[in-house]
Amino acid sequence: MALLEVHGLEKRFGATVALDGVDLEVAAGEVHALIGENGAGKSTLFNILSGAIAPDAGGLAIAGAPYAPRAPGDARARGIAHIHQELSLCPSLSVAENILLGAEPARLGWIDRDRLVARAAALLGEFGREEIDPRVRAGDLALADRQVVEICRALAWDARIILMDEPTSSLQRANVERLFRLVRALRDRGLAVVYVSHFLEEVREVGDRYTVLRDGRSVRSGELAAAGDDELIAAMVGRAVEPAARGARPAAGDVLLEVRDLAEPPRLRGASFELRRGQVLGLAGLVGSGRTDLLRVLFGLLPAAAGTVRMHGRGMGFLSEDRKGEGLALGLSIADNTTLSRLDTCARAGWIDLRQQRAQAEEVMGRLRVRAAGADVTVRRLSGGNQQKVAFGRLLHQDPDVLLLDEPARGIDIASKADIHREIARLAAAGKGVLLVSSYLPELFAVCDDIAVMSRGRLGPARPAGAWTPDSILAAAIGGAGG
């Protein structure tokens, strides 16, 4: 008997059909991969299973008993834990308070702080992250560390079924391997794990069986070992997907951006480089190495302590790695978000021409294949991947000569990632300069002309992408031998 059963699940949000008949069975002691494009219904399914929303039709069962959660508390009581892709921590609370929120150890009606911290430390240690202080504010942690706290919070509930929605999206490879060891240990203890990832190589590392969702329906399931990547991708998107690649390197263009000895200690200690027209320059390195700090200093979000920056192009655009926290105005429409940084293109005499604004947004939506009913849809209602496309689309509408992209494909499905990569290649071919930070090496090799490695706040020299290997990048990132 399956531990978790889902039959004929349906869910609508107004005119939008999120789920249109989903069937899923997950056994105890199994890692079940849930695969699909952004907007296919994966997050909606997880939200129903975790009690955040109610289905319109269909049935759920846990260990053969009917399951109809009315709130997240019901899901936790039945042994379901949900690790969200978009982090849902309370930034003003401590790490320990976040991990054990709702399950705080108490004595005589008062929270036992010593036991709270000790239990949180034990969970962090189980994940191999003893260096994270359980007493610090969660909001003061780096994004990757906040992801670890989110995972530990799910483990604190001793769940039987764990829903993991892109749990590695902000983790470096060492932490990814720790997570995979933990997932396998949970499976070996008889827990069921439903695992969502857009990286098929990840899915194959930990998954046993799979189900593919497309347009809110279950379209294929089976043993992962028996399905090839091409088959899975075709089932996901209903068509073949050609990987994006830069192809032949363009001739060197004029210098757009000159950076010399730029520093903002302690995380950015020294960076010098040139970015030319038509060039995609990738920045590799470990989380905390200073890559994001470099982009934020260049865009003026952090002050520079030393160094010089010379711009020879027209305008600079920045894409944050944190789309939810600072990349989007979630309460506004797609049209508003797309045109926000360049409203003069759709305004007359100080008033926004809504028809023109909508037309401009729809043009960007078409280029990036944003899945939404229209440009008037509120961004908060979109899937994470489509939100990322809207954030990227604002840069297309802004049309700067220099684009600073921090993890532009984080949390995006294979087809959407190819759309964004093709758009980056198109921008470079049009003479733009792109500075791209990515923790995913295949992305750097696929779209970058040159790659430079940051280590301990210092940027090594840029080399053609073909002169690097994954091993040499890792060696430079760890050892600081960027040259």
Side-chain angles (χ1 to χ4, degrees), residues 127-248:
F127 191 73
R129 294 302 305 274
E130 298 90 344
E131 73 275 13
I132 297 178
D133 187 344
R135 295 162 295 189
V136 304
R137 289 178 68 255
D140 294 335
L141 296 178
L143 185 61
D145 292 340
R146 297 202 301 269
Q147 186 104 48
V148 172
V149 173
E150 182 90 19
I151 293 168
C152 289
R153 183 166 68 179
L155 298 178
W157 285 90
D158 294 324
R160 291 189 294 167
I161 301 167
I162 297 183
L163 313 177
M164 292 188 168
D165 192 355
E166 294 283 351
T168 66
S169 58
S170 299
L171 300 182
Q172 285 289 322
R173 184 61 202 179
N175 284 332
V176 170
E177 290 171 353
R178 287 187 184 119
L179 175 64
F180 287 170
R181 286 195 295 270
L182 181 58
V183 169
R184 296 185 190 105
L186 295 171
R187 177 192 61 193
D188 294 343
R189 282 159 46 184
L191 278 70
V193 178
V194 187
Y195 190 97
V196 167
S197 176
H198 295 307
F199 301 116
L200 291 182
E201 65 270 26
E202 273 192 13
V203 166
R204 292 193 180 281
E205 281 194 62
V206 294
D208 302 306
R209 298 177 62 251
Y210 72 91
T211 293
V212 176
L213 297 188
R214 185 173 74 235
D215 297 328
R217 297 187 179 95
S218 304
V219 297
R220 179 171 175 149
S221 62
E223 301 288 333
L224 265 171
D229 286 354
D230 291 344
E231 298 173 85
L232 295 176
I233 293 170
M236 287 167 55
V237 302
R239 57 184 169 84
V241 176
E242 294 295 328
R246 285 301 320 275

Side-chain angles (χ1 to χ4, degrees), residues 180-405:
F180 287 170
R181 286 195 295 270
L182 181 58
V183 169
R184 296 185 190 105
L186 295 171
R187 177 192 61 193
D188 294 343
R189 282 159 46 184
L191 278 70
V193 178
V194 187
Y195 190 97
V196 167
S197 176
H198 295 307
F199 301 116
L200 291 182
E201 65 270 26
E202 273 192 13
V203 166
R204 292 193 180 281
E205 281 194 62
V206 294
D208 302 306
R209 298 177 62 251
Y210 72 91
T211 293
V212 176
L213 297 188
R214 185 173 74 235
D215 297 328
R217 297 187 179 95
S218 304
V219 297
R220 179 171 175 149
S221 62
E223 301 288 333
L224 265 171
D229 286 354
D230 291 344
E231 298 173 85
L232 295 176
I233 293 170
M236 287 167 55
V237 302
R239 57 184 169 84
V241 176
E242 294 295 328
R246 285 301 320 275
R249 284 167 48 82
D254 296 335
V255 173
L256 283 172
L257 182 66
E258 291 182 84
V259 177
R260 292 288 176 266
D261 302 318
L262 194 62
E264 173 54 18
R267 298 184 71 157
L268 179 60
R269 298 183 178 278
S272 298
F273 66 92
E274 291 182 348
L275 182 67
R276 296 178 175 273
R277 289 192 179 275
Q279 181 186 21
V280 181
L281 174 59
L283 297 183
L286 304 178
V287 170
S289 63
R291 300 171 306 168
T292 293
D293 299 78
L294 172 57
L295 265 57
R296 297 180 78 86
V297 170
L298 288 172
F299 198 62
L301 296 173
L302 289 175
T308 59
V309 177
R310 290 187 173 88
M311 268 285 295
H312 302 285
R314 177 180 54 82
M316 182 182 290
F318 173 66
L319 179 70
S320 170
E321 66 173 337
D322 185 3
R323 60 173 173 259
K324 188 174 182 181
E326 60 182 19
L328 293 164
L330 295 174
L332 299 183
S333 67
I334 295 173
D336 288 335
N337 273 275
T338 301
T339 59
L340 202 55
S341 56
R342 200 181 172 197
L343 285 171
D344 61 296
T345 63
C346 53
R348 295 179 182 176
W351 294 87
I352 296 175
D353 183 329
L354 296 179
R355 182 177 299 177
Q356 191 173 16
Q357 182 194 43
R358 190 180 303 112
Q360 291 176 3
E362 287 173 349
E363 190 272 332
V364 172
M365 291 172 66
R367 283 169 63 177
L368 293 175
R369 304 189 198 187
V370 176
R371 298 181 62 171
D376 295 329
V377 172
T378 303
V379 168
R380 182 179 284 112
R381 296 177 57 189
L382 301 178
S383 68
N386 282 299
Q387 288 181 358
Q388 183 76 356
K389 284 185 174 184
V390 173
F392 185 76
R394 184 171 64 247
L395 295 191
L396 301 187
H397 181 265
Q398 180 186 340
D399 194 31
D401 278 347
V402 173
L403 293 94
L404 311 176
L405 308 181

